[in-house]
Amino acid sequence: MTDYKMKPVEGTYHFDGEMATKGFSFNKMCYSFNSEENRQAFRDDAEAYMEKYKLTEEQKQAVRDHNINRMLELGGSIYYMAKFAGIFGWNMQVIGGMQSGRTTEEFQAYLESQGRGKNNG
Amino acid sequence: MAKIIGGITTSHIPAIGVAMDKQLEETPYFRDLFAIYPPIREWLGEEKPDIAVLFYNDHGLEMWLDKKPTFAIGCAPEYQNADEGWGIKPIPPVTGETELSWHIVNHLIENDFDPTVCQDIKVDHGATVPLTLLWPNFTYQGIKVIPISINCERHPMPKPSRSYAFGQAIGDAIRCWDSEQKVVVLGTGGLSHQLDGPRAGILNADFDNWCMDKLVSNPEEILQFSNVDLIERGGAQMVELAMWLAMRGCIKGEVEEKLRNYVSPISNTAVGVQLLLPKEA
Ligand SMILES: [Fe+2]
């Protein structure tokens, strides 16, 4: 049998069929946050909202903990999670820091160190 | 016959759209990036393309996991934009071009590509940011746009070689369309960046510049890479190179690189911009 498993890349969760299956309900909830009405419903009662979308207990806990890496591990996709992050006003540098164990400022400095800080652009 | 007058690669990151909204173009952080756009707009103003064929990926506005096309082509007279959840301001509708859309669909299916055909889709920042950059102050409404999306969100994604071949077939379709209209092709997204996971924040200027060089001189050399190869070198979202390859595939033969810019980082991303002109008529 051909094995279509993707080659692992360190520090990276490939969002493949297995992950997409695991994370479907969670991502569905995140996708719903395209609408302000739904974002407000989550702000009003996050637990009820997560229940409505049938998140697993582990996924709910990751949401309560604001643990982005855990959400990814449990099948979250960053594209839909960005809409979840919007509720809290976290931009991509904030999220980048949260995932890589840095403060937002440290994360920005890390980005700069590979670019303009390195005199490459 | 219709003519492809040039190809443009540009980032589509929301931070650029937001910077335009807030008029931050002249600030030190954004100045180097925005410097490239006036000469591109000048070129567009002189050449006056009628149609923009725009390769983008939908990050979860219209196309979500439930029904997600690998390749999709818009065949609508108009495309709406909407709230994406994290604060980018929606823009007024984009004008479509149904006749060429359907011609491309017919040509693709005749040539063994089978895209999803969309008569009513919303387009997200992947399409709206480039349009706003190239035709600011809503002047994009004066150009007819054909949005073509490539799945860059969920594996399996089309192989880079396939996205390039897809672009080649679309280029052929445009060149055999019985019309005197002028077409510009846009490859959006990229370059190195990774938004998710403990490795978030990785950038790779050397690889980005190599890709930009090869896009001009020998795009087929890039096709040696699989999507995982791209992820290893340029981060999880480097797969957005698919749209650049599709754009380059549209242009037959050699190109002249008229303009280039590379600024890294903007937000979490290395931002590359190129204007390529076909050498063959
Ligand atoms: Fe993107």
Side-chain angles (χ1 to χ4, degrees):
Chain A
M1 193 185 97
T2 313
D3 184 6
Y4 289 110
K5 195 93 200 133
M6 289 172 73
K7 183 173 148 198
V9 175
E10 200 220 311
T12 305
Y13 306 99
H14 297 312
F15 189 71
D16 60 5
E18 192 186 328
M19 294 299 263
T21 303
K22 199 155 62 162
F24 188 81
S25 299
F26 173 67
N27 289 315
K28 187 173 182 177
M29 177 183 85
C30 292
Y31 177 68
S32 79
F33 297 141
N34 273 331
S35 127
E36 174 54 27
E37 200 185 318
N38 292 337
R39 296 194 291 273
Q40 193 54 49
F42 181 88
R43 284 185 207 106
D44 291 344
D45 190 345
E47 291 297 325
Y49 204 83
M50 292 194 285
E51 191 52 42
K52 182 179 154 196
Y53 279 87
K54 300 189 181 70
L55 268 60
T56 65
E57 183 47 39
E58 284 176 306
Q59 288 167 337
K60 287 179 187 170
Q61 196 54 47
V63 170
R64 290 179 201 120
D65 295 343
H66 295 178
N67 188 336
I68 303 283
N69 282 329
R70 186 74 184 133
M71 292 177 213
L72 292 168
E73 256 170 44
L74 297 171
S77 157
I78 196 69
Y79 294 101
Y80 317 119
M81 283 163 61
K83 302 168 193 299
F84 163 75
I87 294 176
F88 301 92
W90 301 330
N91 66 23
M92 278 298 160
Q93 285 84 60
V94 176
I95 297 184
M98 289 165 84
Q99 295 174 108
S100 59
R102 297 181 174 96
T103 65
T104 304
E105 292 70 31
E106 284 167 356
F107 184 75
Q108 283 162 336
Y110 169 60
L111 289 166
E112 291 289 331
S113 74
Q114 301 168 86
R116 285 182 274 211
K118 194 188 155 197
N119 249 341
N120 256 318
Chain B
M1 292 297 134
K3 201 173 149 195
I4 297 176
I5 60 166
I8 300 170
T9 63
T10 174
S11 171
H12 62 217
I13 53 171
I16 301 180
V18 172
M20 288 187 81
D21 280 348
K22 295 190 177 160
Q23 297 182 316
L24 302 175
E25 288 105 314
E26 296 300 324
T27 58
Y29 187 82
F30 286 105
R31 199 167 38 209
D32 296 349
L33 164 70
F34 280 103
I36 189 69
Y37 290 101
I40 293 188
R41 291 172 196 145
E42 207 171 292
W43 177 82
L44 287 167
E46 280 162 17
E47 297 298 324
K48 296 187 180 51
D50 304 286
I51 300 166
V53 169
L54 189 160
F55 294 98
Y56 76 113
N57 58 308
D58 181 299
H59 309 70
L61 177 63
E62 176 70 46
M63 293 158 193
W64 180 66
L65 303 176
D66 60 345
K67 306 168 195 77
K68 189 165 179 53
T70 299
F71 293 114
I73 171 165
C75 291
E78 190 177 273
Y79 303 92
Q80 303 281 342
N81 177 222
D83 189 353
E84 295 190 47
W86 34 256
I88 194 171
K89 220 182 349 183
I91 64 166
V94 175
T95 314
E97 163 40 82
T98 55
E99 200 186 320
L100 178 56
S101 284
W102 286 110
H103 173 78
I104 293 173
V105 168
N106 283 312
H107 184 94
L108 285 173
I109 295 203
E110 200 55 40
N111 288 277
D112 303 325
F113 276 93
D114 309 293
T116 301
V117 177
C118 304
Q119 284 192 258
D120 184 8
I121 46 165
K122 294 188 287 290
V123 291
D124 80 352
H125 68 270
T128 61
V129 168
L131 290 173
T132 311
L133 274 169
L134 298 174
W135 292 276
N137 304 316
F138 309 117
T139 53
Y140 65 81
Q141 290 188 305
I143 186 158
K144 296 177 286 180
V145 177
I146 300 181
I148 302 180
S149 73
I150 302 179
N151 166 30
C152 293
E153 291 78 27
R154 180 180 63 197
H155 297 287
M157 298 164 192
K159 295 185 287 186
S161 56
R162 188 68 176 157
S163 293
Y164 183 72
F166 181 61
Q168 286 179 311
I170 290 168
D172 289 341
I174 296 167
R175 280 183 292 270
C176 72
W177 185 45
D178 191 7
S179 163
E180 291 310 305
Q181 300 191 67
K182 295 196 273 187
V183 179
V184 62
V185 284
L186 313 178
T188 76
L191 285 164
S192 62
H193 63 309
Q194 176 152 345
L195 303 177
D196 47 336
R199 188 176 179 245
I202 185 180
L203 298 166
N204 188 341
D206 294 336
F207 187 58
D208 289 336
N209 282 296
W210 183 87
C211 288
M212 292 175 95
D213 289 345
K214 292 299 171 189
L215 206 68
V216 178
S217 63
N218 187 7
E220 307 207 345
E221 244 186 273
I222 305 173
L223 311 183
Q224 64 180 291
F225 295 116
S226 67
N227 282 317
V228 176
D229 294 334
L230 295 180
I231 292 167
E232 276 186 317
R233 285 163 180 77
Q237 278 73 39
M238 182 87 200
V239 295
E240 288 190 348
L241 197 67
M243 278 81 72
W244 293 45
L245 291 168
M247 178 285 292
R248 182 63 181 88
C250 287
I251 305 177
K252 209 174 192 159
E254 289 183 27
V255 295
E256 177 204 336
E257 183 179 42
K258 193 161 157 80
L259 294 165
R260 179 197 290 208
N261 194 21
Y262 180 79
V263 180
S264 173
I266 295 290
S267 185
N268 291 29
T269 305
V271 173
V273 181
Q274 285 173 295
L275 170 58
L276 307 179
L277 305 183
K279 285 190 181 168
E280 282 173 36

